[in-house]
């Protein structure tokens, strides 16, 4: 495999791709791994929140598309750009930055800040702050791509809001000046040409990952017969995916190839002639310019991957265990408010146009724990959009987050919004805990009544002709498939007979893997060559074993669910309570990592996380390889969950 082919193969690995981006921004291997871990941790707390904003997108559709609802890979890419900031600031405070690193960071911040808002802000940031196109030219570019016509004042106000945020980010390293026309700009670097290649490499790296293999602007755009495609212009809006239209527009303004085609079609100066990187005022001005930034870091090692996985598992475990009594609210990494939940208070603070990420944190055993993140939503060009979110806490309690835009604003000034964080304790949950037996009796009585009523109705409709439903018999015997000796394995379960109908594994909770003295090895589950059932046993706590549980299988680091089941009550054994999750082997691919998320119903009817179980699917050894079956212990008590209980229909999908 050639070097280019090897690189393309590595790009298919989202974890590797994320690491390479972090290394591109901050070329230190140790720091890049830390950036990756931090971004993945934020991604896990953010997962699922994007869809909750669909209401606001629909409501404000007539006023223009709101901020994009990203695919998982785009969200991770953005979080890497966000997470790297704190490491960059530490280096800058110590005076260890170079002109090249500052140029990369400036371009990264322009892209990160604007893609957090909308393609309108991306257009303004790229063409007014990274390049020196005029307001009229920037306006014409946006109108050509979107067929939306906003006043020049909106472009000036957006530029002012972005400049203010960049000034707060870089502080004394940047200086502003007035042009001959009175426009306020950052003082530019004297030699723009030498930065052209570096700027292009940065923009290529920051193209939204979901669009890297497509260029929405045709190569012949500008000819009499060439038109921009509907997925960019947004024509026939009722049939278009508005989120995809928005991300395509972001691509068109960021990608050097696309916006070169746009400027050429409009007869503007090419982007390399309009570059306007600012001058950075710092002591270390020695330049080691590497224009194309093509040097790739060596791929992630297995040890580094384990380190990232262990860190994520540890954070998830701490999040589950943290009984939040005192929380803090941070805006773009800066703590802005504190709240004592025992007082049941409500906190409110004002945020300014340009705010990107809200973080809710607490503490556990003296360390800070990230409970949740919330992206600040934006309208097309009217500033912050309304938004609401619910963050469920331990014990069924909840935090309600509400963002309300200000109804009035000062002309030319950034718009503002009010963020309210309120605490809602679960009164019903506390009552249930103290009346558990009574509550269980009520539930069983209601269930019995419903079953009797359903039977009466069914009998009345069928004239008393009841038909017995077919029963699915459990497998006659079970067998545990053993992984190869070189692969860390899940705890193997004893078996009786060799027919390969069911393979059974006892997984290990992620937090137990982290705490264990044997390191952070990820358990493995073997994928047989022929279709089979995989019986995954999920150890749970005694209290969780009495609750209604739901297990979901998904690829590791991905949001798409493969299989979801409501589980039977966990069974007790000497080793503790165990829930059983049945998985057909055909849904797994060898040499891939998977995660099982186990959740339970809280008092409010919502699902809250109980634990997660990570494993690696490995291929079945070829026939003739040593599988060490002769050393298998025998299992005589099939009623013990450690051996494998029967199920009338183990594959029933909810």
């Amino acid at each position: 495999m050639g070097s280019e082919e090897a690189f393309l193969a590595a790009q298919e690995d989202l974890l590797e791709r994320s690491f390479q981006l972090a290394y591109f921004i901050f070329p230190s291997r140790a720091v890049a791994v830390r950036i990756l871990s931090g971004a993945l941790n934020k991604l896990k707390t953010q997962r699922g929140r994007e869809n909750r904003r669909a209401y606001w997108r629909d409501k404000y559709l007539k006023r223009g598309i709101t901020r994009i609802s990203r695919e998982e890979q785009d969200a991770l890419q953005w979080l890497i750009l966000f997470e790297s900031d704190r490491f960059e600031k530490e280096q800058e405070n110590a005076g260890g930055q170079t002109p090249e690193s500052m140029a990369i960071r400036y371009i990264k911040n322009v892209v990160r800040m604007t893609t957090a808002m909308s393609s309108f802000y991306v257009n303004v940031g790229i063409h007014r702050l990274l390049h020196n196109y005029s307001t009229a030219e920037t306006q014409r570019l946006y109108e050509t791509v979107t067929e939306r016509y906003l006043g020049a004042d909106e472009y000036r106000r957006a530029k002012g809001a972005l400049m203010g945020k960049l000034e707060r980010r870089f502080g004394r390293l940047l200086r502003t000046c007035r042009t001959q026309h009175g426009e306020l700009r950052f003082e530019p670097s004297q030699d723009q040409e030498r930065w052209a290649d570096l700027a292009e490499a940065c923009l290529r790296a920051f193209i939204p990952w979901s669009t890297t293999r497509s260029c929405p602007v045709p190569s012949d755009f500008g000819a009499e017969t060439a038109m921009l495609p509907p997925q960019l212009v947004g024509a026939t809006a009722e049939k278009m995916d508005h989120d995809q239209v928005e991300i395509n527009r972001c691509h068109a303004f960021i990608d050097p190839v696309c916006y070169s085609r746009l400027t050429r079609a409009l007869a503007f100066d090419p982007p390399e002639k309009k570059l306007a990187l600012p001058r950075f005022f710092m002591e270390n001005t020695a330049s080691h310019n590497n224009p194309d930034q093509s040097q790739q870091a060596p791929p992630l090692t297995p040890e580094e991957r384990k380190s990232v996985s262990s860190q994520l598992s540890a954070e998830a475990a701490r999040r589950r265990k943290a009984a939040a009594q005192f929380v803090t609210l941070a805006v773009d990494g800066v703590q802005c408010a504190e709240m004592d939940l025992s007082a049941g208070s409500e906190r409110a603070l004002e945020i300014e146009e340009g705010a990107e990420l809200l973080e809710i944190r607490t503490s556990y055993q003296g360390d800070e724990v990230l409970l949740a993140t919330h992206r600040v939503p934006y309208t097309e060009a009217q500033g912050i959009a309304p938004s609401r979110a619910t963050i469920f806490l331990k014990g069924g309690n909840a935090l309600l987050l509400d963002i309300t835009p200000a109804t009035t604003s000062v002309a030319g000034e950034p718009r503002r919004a009010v963020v309210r964080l309120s605490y809602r304790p679960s009164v019903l949950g506390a009552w249930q805990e103290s009346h558990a037996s009574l509550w269980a009796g009520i539930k069983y009585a209601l269930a019995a009544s419903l079953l009797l009523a359903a039977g009466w109705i069914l009998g009345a409709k069928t004239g008393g002709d009841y038909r017995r439903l077919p029963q699915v018999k459990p497998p006659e015997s079970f067998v545990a498939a053993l992984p190869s000796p070189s692969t860390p394995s899940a705890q193997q379960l004893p078996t009786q007979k060799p027919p390969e109908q069911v393979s059974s594994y006892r997984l290990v909770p992620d937090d137990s893997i982290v705490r264990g003295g044997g390191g952070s090895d990820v358990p493995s589950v073997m994928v047989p060559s022929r279709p089979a059932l995989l019986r995954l046993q999920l150890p749970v706590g005694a209290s969780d074993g009495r609750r209604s549980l739901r297990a979901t299988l998904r690829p590791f680091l991905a949001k798409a669910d493969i299989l979801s089941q409501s589980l039977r009550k966990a069974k007790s054994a000497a080793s503790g309570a165990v829930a059983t999750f049945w998985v057909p082997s055909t849904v797994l691919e060898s040499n891939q990592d998977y995660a099982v998320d186990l959740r339970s119903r809280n008092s409010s009817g919502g699902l809250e996380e109980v634990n997660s179980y990570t494993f690696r699917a490995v291929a079945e050894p070829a026939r003739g390889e040593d599988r060490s079956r002769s050393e298998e212990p025998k299992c005589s008590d099939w009623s013990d969950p450690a051996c494998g209980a029967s199920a009338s229909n183990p594959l029933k999908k909810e």
Side-chain angles (χ1 to χ4, degrees):
M1 181 181 291
S3 58
E4 183 175 356
E5 292 177 338
F7 174 71
L8 290 175
Q11 287 292 76
E12 298 299 326
D13 183 344
L14 184 58
L15 200 66
E16 179 65 29
R17 190 177 191 181
S18 303
F19 167 71
Q20 293 294 341
L21 177 62
Y23 187 87
F24 174 88
I25 297 169
F26 203 111
S28 162
R29 193 170 189 89
V31 173
V33 171
R34 293 179 64 190
I35 291 172
L36 175 59
S37 298
L40 288 170
N41 186 45
K42 285 182 170 62
L43 180 66
K44 189 165 186 179
T45 64
Q46 180 180 298
R47 181 179 289 121
R49 293 197 179 278
E50 296 290 350
N51 291 335
R52 299 180 186 180
R53 301 199 185 102
Y55 165 75
W56 301 114
R57 288 200 300 276
D58 295 339
K59 181 178 178 181
Y60 281 81
L61 192 56
K62 294 181 180 179
R63 293 165 53 182
I65 299 172
T66 63
R67 69 173 300 282
I68 55 179
S69 172
R70 302 173 194 279
E71 295 184 13
E72 194 90 340
Q73 55 181 330
D74 290 338
L76 179 55
Q77 180 189 25
W78 187 89
L79 285 168
I80 289 171
L81 305 187
F82 181 90
E83 187 70 13
S84 64
D85 244 31
R86 63 188 183 99
F87 298 98
E88 297 166 11
K89 292 175 183 177
E90 290 175 2
Q91 187 187 65
E92 291 159 19
N93 290 335
Q97 73 275 24
T98 65
E100 289 78 21
S101 64
M102 295 309 299
I104 293 173
R105 293 170 190 181
Y106 179 82
I107 298 171
K108 182 213 75 172
N109 274 274
V110 169
V111 173
R112 190 205 76 213
M113 293 173 184
T114 57
T115 53
M117 302 165 80
S118 73
S119 62
F120 170 76
Y121 292 90
V122 175
N123 175 55
V124 173
I126 295 295
H127 297 108
R128 297 288 285 130
L129 297 177
L130 180 56
H131 297 89
N132 191 20
Y133 289 103
S134 66
T135 299
E137 289 172 323
T138 305
Q139 188 172 0
R140 189 178 170 196
L141 273 164
Y142 190 70
E143 292 170 352
T144 299
V145 171
T146 67
E147 296 183 357
R148 289 190 57 79
Y149 304 91
L150 305 172
D153 288 344
E154 291 296 336
Y155 290 83
R156 297 189 185 99
R157 184 194 50 76
K159 179 201 165 201
L162 294 174
M163 279 192 69
K165 185 147 191 185
L166 287 167
E167 283 185 291
R168 290 191 291 274
R169 162 61 182 89
F170 292 104
R172 56 182 175 79
L173 297 174
L174 289 179
R175 295 179 186 174
T176 57
C177 63
R178 293 280 181 182
T179 66
Q180 59 182 357
H181 301 293
E183 179 189 1
L184 185 67
R185 296 191 62 87
F186 292 124
E187 186 173 325
S189 175
Q190 295 298 317
D191 187 6
Q192 293 292 332
E193 290 185 4
R194 76 185 184 103
W195 299 110
D197 290 337
L198 178 59
E200 183 174 338
C202 289
L203 292 171
R204 287 199 309 267
F206 302 147
I207 294 171
W209 281 345
S210 65
T211 66
T212 49
R213 295 184 179 180
S214 62
C215 187
V217 180
S219 59
D220 59 348
F221 176 63
E224 292 183 1
T225 58
M227 302 287 291
L228 290 175
Q231 60 265 31
L232 190 58
V233 178
T236 62
E238 67 279 0
K239 298 180 180 180
M240 299 299 298
D241 183 338
H242 299 289
D243 291 329
Q244 190 59 51
V245 170
E246 182 73 348
I247 201 71
N248 286 339
R249 292 174 180 176
C250 291
H251 176 113
F253 296 136
I254 296 172
D255 181 15
V257 174
C258 278
Y259 72 71
S260 292
R261 293 174 180 175
L262 290 171
T263 56
R264 182 188 62 205
L266 297 174
F268 295 166
D269 289 335
E272 61 269 18
K273 298 295 184 182
K274 300 292 289 186
L275 190 62
L277 273 172
R279 176 186 175 189
F280 290 95
F281 293 84
M282 55 190 187
E283 295 181 2
N284 180 18
T285 58
S287 179
H288 306 285
N289 194 15
N290 181 14
D292 61 6
Q293 288 287 304
S294 59
Q295 185 65 38
Q296 295 289 317
L300 281 168
T301 65
E303 291 73 20
E304 288 169 331
R305 288 175 179 267
K306 289 179 182 179
S307 173
V308 171
S309 177
S310 297
Q311 181 66 25
L312 289 177
S313 298
E315 289 297 322
R318 293 167 62 219
R319 211 164 14 247
R320 287 191 296 270
K321 295 174 182 177
Q325 296 295 327
F326 189 83
V327 299
T328 60
L329 178 63
V331 181
D332 295 340
V334 179
Q335 183 175 316
C336 297
E338 300 176 344
M339 185 173 175
D340 184 358
L341 302 187
S342 62
S345 59
E346 178 179 285
R347 290 302 307 269
L349 70 149
E350 196 174 58
I351 58 175
E352 191 176 273
E353 182 177 0
E356 303 164 59
L357 187 70
L358 306 180
E359 299 174 67
I360 298 175
R361 305 166 180 167
T362 188
S363 61
Y364 176 70
Q365 295 183 342
D367 295 326
E368 188 176 73
V369 177
L370 179 65
L371 291 177
T373 57
H374 185 79
R375 296 282 293 276
V376 179
Y378 282 82
T379 61
E380 178 189 20
Q382 301 297 318
I384 299 171
S387 179
R388 290 178 181 175
T390 302
I391 297 97
F392 291 103
L393 305 176
K394 188 175 181 180
N397 304 318
L399 289 171
L400 306 182
L401 184 68
D402 187 280
I403 301 178
T404 306
T407 55
T408 59
S409 60
V410 180
E413 294 292 326
R415 295 182 174 89
R416 298 177 179 274
V418 175
V419 177
R420 288 184 175 83
L421 186 66
S422 54
Y423 176 60
R424 293 292 181 269
S426 175
V427 178
L428 180 59
W431 185 89
Q432 285 182 248
E433 288 294 330
S434 59
H435 300 78
S437 58
L438 176 61
W439 183 246
I442 293 173
K443 288 195 294 183
Y444 286 128
L446 287 174
S449 300
L450 289 173
L451 285 173
L452 287 173
W456 182 87
I457 293 171
L458 182 61
K461 288 192 174 184
T462 61
D465 180 18
Y466 296 94
R467 290 178 294 175
R468 184 181 298 276
L469 296 176
Q471 294 185 351
V472 180
K473 293 184 178 181
E476 294 180 359
S477 58
F478 294 80
V479 59
L482 299 178
S484 58
S486 60
T487 307
S489 63
Q491 181 178 345
Q492 300 297 309
L493 300 180
T495 62
Q496 278 188 320
K497 298 180 181 180
E500 295 187 352
Q501 295 179 336
V502 172
S503 298
S504 190
Y505 295 90
R506 186 186 181 96
L507 299 185
V508 181
D510 286 344
D511 49 5
S512 297
I513 295 176
V514 176
R515 291 197 306 268
S520 58
D521 290 343
V522 176
S524 64
V525 169
M526 184 176 299
V527 180
S529 57
R530 293 183 296 174
L533 291 181
L534 300 179
R535 183 176 184 270
L536 305 184
Q537 291 193 353
L538 313 177
V540 296
S543 58
D544 292 321
R546 295 189 293 269
R547 305 169 72 179
S548 297
L549 300 174
R550 189 171 186 84
T552 301
L553 175 71
R554 60 176 174 81
F556 185 60
L557 302 181
K559 182 170 64 174
D561 294 342
I562 299 174
L563 179 67
S564 185
Q565 295 176 11
S566 292
L567 307 184
R568 296 185 174 187
K569 294 291 184 180
K571 293 193 175 182
S572 299
S575 56
V578 177
T580 299
F581 184 27
W582 293 92
V583 175
S585 63
T586 52
V587 303
L588 301 178
E589 295 183 16
S590 300
N591 301 320
Q592 297 293 326
D593 294 322
Y594 293 90
V596 175
D597 295 326
L598 189 63
R599 297 179 175 87
S600 65
R601 292 285 179 187
N602 57 32
S603 57
S604 303
L607 289 171
E608 61 182 21
E609 189 173 14
V610 172
N611 218 321
S612 59
Y613 308 78
T614 304
F615 67 90
R616 185 168 184 80
V618 297
E620 181 182 39
R623 183 169 297 180
E625 293 185 14
D626 179 19
R627 299 178 66 175
S628 305
R629 287 195 180 275
S630 60
E631 298 180 3
E632 284 189 26
K634 299 297 182 182
C635 186
S636 57
D637 183 9
W638 289 104
S639 64
D640 189 333
C643 296
S646 63
S648 62
N649 190 1
L651 282 181
K652 182 178 180 181
K653 230 177 145 180
E654 295 296 321

